[in-house]
Amino acid sequence: MKPHTLSILVENKSGVLSRVTGLFSRRGFNIESLAVGPCEEPDMSRITIVVIGDDEKIEQVMKQLNKLIDVIKVSDLTDSERVERELALIKVTAELGTSRAEIMQIASIFRASIVDVGAKTLILQVIGDTDKIEAMEKLLRQYGIKEFVRTGTVGILRGAKTVTSGK
Amino acid sequence: MKTGAKILVESLQREGTEIIFGYPGGVVLPIYDELYDSSLRHILVRHEQAAAHAADGFARASGRVGVCLATSGPGACNLVTGIATAYMDSVPIVALTGQVPTNLLGNDAFQESDITGITMPITKHNYLLKNAGEVSRIVQEAFYIAGTGRQGPVLIDIPKDVSTGLSEDVKLPEKVSLRGYNPTYKGHKRQMEKALELLDHAERPLIYAGGGIISSNASAELVEFATLASIPVTTTLMGIGCIPCNHPLNLGMLGMHGTEYANFAVTECDLLISIGARFDDRVTGKLETFASHAKIIHIDIDPAEISKNKHADVPIVGDVRAVLQDLLSLMKKREAREQWLKKIRHWKQHHPLKCPTNGALHPQFIIRTLSDLVKDKAVIVSEVGQNQMWTAQHFCFHNPRTWITSGGLGTMGYGLPAAMGAHFARPDVPVFDIAGDGSIQMNIQEFGTIAAEKIPVKVVILNNMYLGMVRQWQELFYDHRYSFTELPPVDFVKIANAYGIEGMRIESPDEVLPALQASLDCDGPFVMDFRIEREENVFPMVPAGAAINDMIGGHPQS
């Protein structure tokens, strides 16, 4: 059982996301993270889903996804050389004159940027893979995280290989 | 310029539709107005569920796409059980539903329900139309999706303003092409060669034949393949009819209520060739012991079925018929596997299905009498429960598409409306609905349809005043505690008569043949109320979760 990153190319039509996510819940597959957006083809969207399961279960998910008429292509990026990124926004308690400096130090170690400075809070923006974001969250927890927002993982294959419709 | 409703009716006809089953209502008025002087035949059912089942029965009996039509909200929701039934058994139907006008969508308008949302998990695909200009293209796509690949139901939701909206004729492509839908028809050559190598080395091969053979019209190829390679065949509930019942290689049905010899053969075979079947739990019983000595070849058009429940050593994805044709062209005739066939003959001889004969009215006897009477000249539809299992076991089916039953979903109330649909596919032969007193009452209002439309369905009610199959489980596994399974007696003949249908009550074995003959002699529909042994059970039986050679109600092991 390990996380698998699936890249799913779909028709850019209303209801497609609900077909895809409905299939996951109906067949008892848990979605760890989900990211959706338009892609290089104007009439398609790309969904990146991270799902945990053994190889057989993941194979079954992919086959079931492929059966959806609006799904054009499904690829499991997990065993390939790939880049995976997630963006997180973290609102941390940081009263003036208290731990602000420490937090800003942590941010710089993680190459996070400070995108909002308030009287009582800072908002940090961090980009990285899941491990990095979770490590940073863990460190910031002691200062008090007021809100934590994540985009979900997106992934892309390294080199010339692509997940496209093959046209 | 034409209205969406007119384009819809023309598009259905363009796809070869001659008959639709439906029920009118508010937002489908424009479509019904178009049907009023169309040559498309419309059968008015008494409940929308029956329209879906009738379209399904038509599709199964004909091999063509069946069509049903309902209004929005309650009408559409009433189709749901019928659509789910078709989905589970991979039956090609196109369900048309009315919808509130697009400007009211999502507004909780009168008789609005999100039917594309509701049917998402039980359709192969569905559509919500947005304008009249897309009607013809989407009807074309819907028929294509329903009737190709692994077949299944497709729903088209049609808002009222799409029906009344105007559009020019749209030029349609000759062939539908969808970038997200490319079924594999040809089997992989290397995989087929591997399968034949396994077959060459097998001493005790067995074909496990499912409904995929019926839907791909591959019965002739299957029989040729089995005969040429000398392989016995067991069929699933859905596969019945793909090989004649009296063919020497046919072992009948396997699984929970399968024949003892079929279940023995599965347990002892060293190669299982699954063709168009999906290792359903009612077939396999305990998965770990199912064909546990066998290598498995799995032929199916749906890649998602391969290794879903049971690992396939040699998977072949493709249309069952195309694959069998290729296998036939690649293989040589092989001498009979005498030892294996001898063993099977021995099992058949010593473990036949039991047909009690003690003077009482037994359902098995009724089914066998009907089978002997109509032979291969009938279509037999069933409801769900004991009636279904007795028919599957004791009726001798000779041809594909003559046995129509709800397998996957197990829908009580399926039989009568499906029989109506089957009649329009096969008007040349009598159509029987084998029912129980429980299931017939789930869609008994369709007596109204068969009476009004003079649809000559012959209804055989095996009346034991119980929900028999559930009662059987309560007897065997719940200490005879018959919790809510006893039904008060109903005079079905009177009900039939009230609708203007002839009927007859039968209480002893010597009345069976005359009654069945009378039903055949009657031009119209006919209802027979057989008062059978009340606590007759379906045997043999594999208890849920047990190994399939672990049957109760069979013969002592020799």
Side-chain angles (χ1 to χ4, degrees):
Chain A
M1 300 272 278
K2 61 172 181 187
H4 286 249
T5 306
L6 305 184
S7 181
I8 308 164
L9 201 60
V10 300
E11 297 284 351
N12 185 9
K13 288 183 191 162
S14 66
V16 176
L17 182 62
S18 108
R19 286 179 202 277
V20 169
T21 53
L23 188 146
F24 275 78
S25 63
R26 184 160 76 247
R27 297 206 177 249
F29 308 128
N30 237 329
I31 296 177
E32 289 295 309
S33 95
L34 170 77
V36 197
C39 63
E40 69 281 354
E41 304 265 3
D43 52 354
M44 296 182 197
S45 296
R46 181 172 276 110
I47 302 176
T48 310
I49 289 185
V50 178
V51 55
I52 292 179
D54 56 33
D55 290 352
E56 276 172 28
K57 194 146 191 171
I58 300 298
E59 191 185 329
Q60 182 62 211
V61 179
M62 291 177 63
K63 284 171 167 177
Q64 294 294 347
L65 284 168
N66 264 315
K67 282 171 70 171
L68 297 177
I69 310 286
D70 287 336
V71 168
I72 298 160
K73 183 155 184 169
V74 185
S75 295
D76 183 358
L77 307 182
T78 313
D79 294 325
S80 309
E81 287 291 315
R82 67 189 189 282
V83 178
E84 272 188 20
R85 290 293 181 269
E86 190 177 355
L87 182 146
L89 297 173
I90 311 170
K91 188 178 287 178
V92 195
T93 310
E95 301 267 357
L96 276 172
T98 58
S99 43
R100 244 175 217 231
E102 275 176 53
I103 293 169
M104 287 163 76
Q105 219 165 12
I106 292 171
S108 97
I109 293 167
F110 281 88
R111 291 188 200 159
S113 39
I114 292 166
V115 292
D116 181 73
V117 182
K120 294 178 177 173
T121 58
L122 292 175
I123 298 177
L124 277 62
Q125 170 190 295
V126 60
I127 297 169
D129 60 16
T130 306
D131 286 351
K132 176 176 169 181
I133 287 170
E134 280 169 4
M136 185 163 175
E137 186 233 341
K138 216 167 143 189
L139 272 179
L140 291 173
R141 212 178 288 155
Q142 55 187 312
Y143 306 103
I145 294 178
K146 294 184 83 73
E147 205 175 341
F148 184 31
V149 187
R150 298 167 69 165
T151 56
T153 302
V154 291
I156 194 163
L157 293 172
R158 286 187 186 274
K161 280 194 286 181
T162 55
V163 179
T164 51
S165 61
K167 284 194 304 183
Chain B
M1 298 286 263
K2 289 173 184 164
T3 64
K6 187 169 180 64
I7 298 170
L8 175 71
V9 170
E10 287 179 358
S11 303
L12 292 172
Q13 289 179 309
R14 187 175 176 277
E15 296 299 328
T17 305
E18 287 159 13
I19 188 162
I20 64 176
F21 304 89
Y23 203 97
V27 294
V28 287
L29 276 163
I31 299 171
Y32 270 86
D33 192 58
E34 205 52 57
L35 287 171
Y36 190 65
D37 37 34
S38 159
S39 61
L40 197 57
R41 182 156 184 204
H42 176 275
I43 301 295
L44 174 66
V45 295
R46 296 297 178 270
H47 184 295
E48 289 90 348
Q49 184 189 349
H53 289 326
D56 169 313
F58 174 86
R60 295 193 208 216
S62 66
R64 293 159 60 197
V65 177
V67 182
C68 57
L69 167 62
T71 192
S72 64
C77 288
N78 279 342
L79 291 178
V80 167
T81 307
I83 295 171
T85 303
Y87 183 71
M88 288 290 271
D89 289 343
S90 309
V91 178
I93 65 171
V94 169
L96 307 167
T97 50
Q99 184 55 279
V100 301
T102 47
N103 65 327
L104 290 179
L105 275 173
N107 204 31
D108 301 323
F110 177 65
Q111 293 195 330
E112 178 183 4
S113 66
D114 172 17
I115 198 63
T116 48
I118 290 168
T119 58
M120 210 172 265
I122 53 164
T123 50
K124 190 170 168 187
H125 196 52
N126 62 24
Y127 296 91
L128 170 59
L129 296 185
K130 295 284 167 59
N131 57 67
E134 61 181 12
V135 171
S136 57
R137 178 181 57 82
I138 281 175
V139 169
Q140 187 191 28
E141 271 183 31
F143 273 77
Y144 173 68
I145 291 170
T148 56
R150 180 175 182 174
Q151 301 177 331
V154 177
L155 179 136
I156 308 176
D157 200 19
I158 312 163
K160 189 173 184 184
D161 56 325
V162 171
S163 293
T164 53
L166 295 172
S167 168
E168 301 284 357
D169 273 330
V170 177
K171 187 158 168 48
L172 295 177
E174 272 298 303
K175 239 183 123 246
V176 180
S177 152
L178 297 163
R179 56 190 173 184
Y181 178 67
N182 296 296
T184 307
Y185 295 106
K186 275 308 249 177
H188 193 278
K189 180 130 188 271
R190 182 70 200 107
Q191 292 298 98
M192 289 193 282
E193 285 166 355
K194 271 198 214 161
L196 291 176
E197 278 163 34
L198 278 186
L199 185 55
D200 262 346
H201 295 109
E203 286 173 11
R204 301 181 307 279
L206 178 69
I207 292 173
Y208 152 44
I213 295 169
I214 313 276
S215 27
S216 77
N217 298 313
S219 301
E221 286 80 1
L222 172 85
V223 174
E224 195 185 341
F225 177 71
T227 313
L228 201 66
S230 183
I231 317 172
V233 180
T234 177
T235 59
T236 67
L237 180 68
M238 303 306 300
I240 289 175
C242 70
I243 178 168
C245 56
N246 50 4
H247 192 289
L249 288 171
N250 188 358
L251 300 179
M253 184 170 73
L254 80 165
M256 183 173 272
H257 291 296
T259 62
E260 288 178 80
Y261 35 97
N263 287 349
F264 292 156
V266 174
T267 308
E268 292 208 9
C269 68
D270 64 355
L271 176 66
L272 187 73
I273 309 167
S274 167
I275 311 180
R278 58 183 179 87
F279 295 85
D280 175 75
D281 56 281
R282 283 296 194 264
V283 159
T284 62
K286 190 176 174 188
L287 257 180
E288 297 74 45
T289 54
F290 182 78
S292 54
H293 308 298
K295 292 262 188 211
I296 291 175
I297 298 170
H298 193 168
I299 307 172
D300 204 292
I301 196 159
D302 181 358
E305 289 302 342
I306 307 278
S307 299
K308 184 178 87 178
N309 296 336
K310 188 94 185 164
H311 173 76
D313 297 285
V314 180
I316 305 176
V317 175
D319 171 59
V320 162
R321 184 158 180 229
V323 171
L324 283 173
Q325 283 169 343
D326 285 346
L327 286 173
L328 281 167
S329 73
L330 291 169
M331 68 192 280
K332 295 184 264 310
K333 181 172 168 57
R334 109 146 243 170
E335 53 195 279
R337 301 166 202 268
E338 249 331 302
Q339 246 184 323
W340 176 227
L341 295 182
K342 198 174 147 198
K343 192 163 200 177
I344 282 170
R345 278 196 298 271
H346 175 86
W347 285 330
K348 272 183 149 177
Q349 195 184 343
H350 292 91
H351 299 267
L353 286 169
K354 294 176 185 170
C355 184
T357 47
N358 60 358
L361 184 52
H362 294 286
Q364 300 93 329
F365 170 76
I366 298 167
I367 302 297
R368 287 188 181 198
T369 308
L370 175 64
S371 184
D372 291 343
L373 176 67
V374 298
K375 299 195 173 67
D376 61 347
K377 304 250 174 332
V379 171
I380 307 296
V381 185
S382 85
E383 303 284 346
V384 165
Q386 289 184 316
N387 59 81
Q388 178 185 35
M389 289 299 120
W390 283 319
T391 312
Q393 290 180 334
H394 295 277
F395 194 95
C396 182
F397 290 95
H398 298 265
N399 293 302
R401 301 194 184 279
T402 59
W403 163 237
I404 291 171
T405 196
S406 165
L409 198 67
T411 309
M412 289 173 69
Y414 170 80
L416 179 58
M420 305 181 333
H423 163 73
F424 291 102
R426 291 297 306 277
D428 54 316
V429 290
V431 178
F432 283 83
D433 173 33
I434 313 294
D437 53 314
S439 44
I440 193 67
Q441 292 186 75
M442 280 216 186
N443 268 322
I444 201 163
Q445 78 286 345
E446 297 309 312
F447 279 0
T449 309
I450 60 175
E453 299 280 349
K454 301 190 174 52
I455 303 171
V457 171
K458 318 298 179 188
V459 184
V460 171
I461 303 172
L462 304 174
N463 184 352
N464 52 14
M465 292 174 248
Y466 278 120
L467 300 174
M469 186 58 95
V470 182
R471 185 210 56 75
Q472 174 172 341
W473 282 57
Q474 288 171 335
E475 176 191 329
L476 298 171
F477 311 117
Y478 291 85
D479 196 22
H480 291 80
R481 286 155 58 83
Y482 294 166
S483 179
F484 302 101
T485 43
E486 187 164 12
L487 299 174
V490 174
D491 190 336
F492 289 107
V493 175
K494 267 194 182 158
I495 295 183
N497 291 163
Y499 278 100
I501 298 170
E502 277 188 60
M504 199 182 271
R505 181 186 294 179
I506 301 94
E507 285 166 319
S508 72
D510 53 354
E511 297 169 352
V512 171
L513 184 59
L516 293 170
Q517 188 59 57
S519 79
L520 287 175
D521 294 341
C522 170
D523 286 339
F526 198 88
V527 172
M528 289 155 276
D529 181 3
F530 290 91
R531 299 297 172 104
I532 61 166
E533 269 294 281
R534 291 198 67 202
E535 302 206 0
E536 187 81 51
N537 285 329
V538 180
F539 285 135
M541 177 180 192
V542 179
I548 63 164
N549 59 337
D550 187 8
M551 289 163 276
I552 52 178
H555 298 266
Q557 293 269 9
S558 49

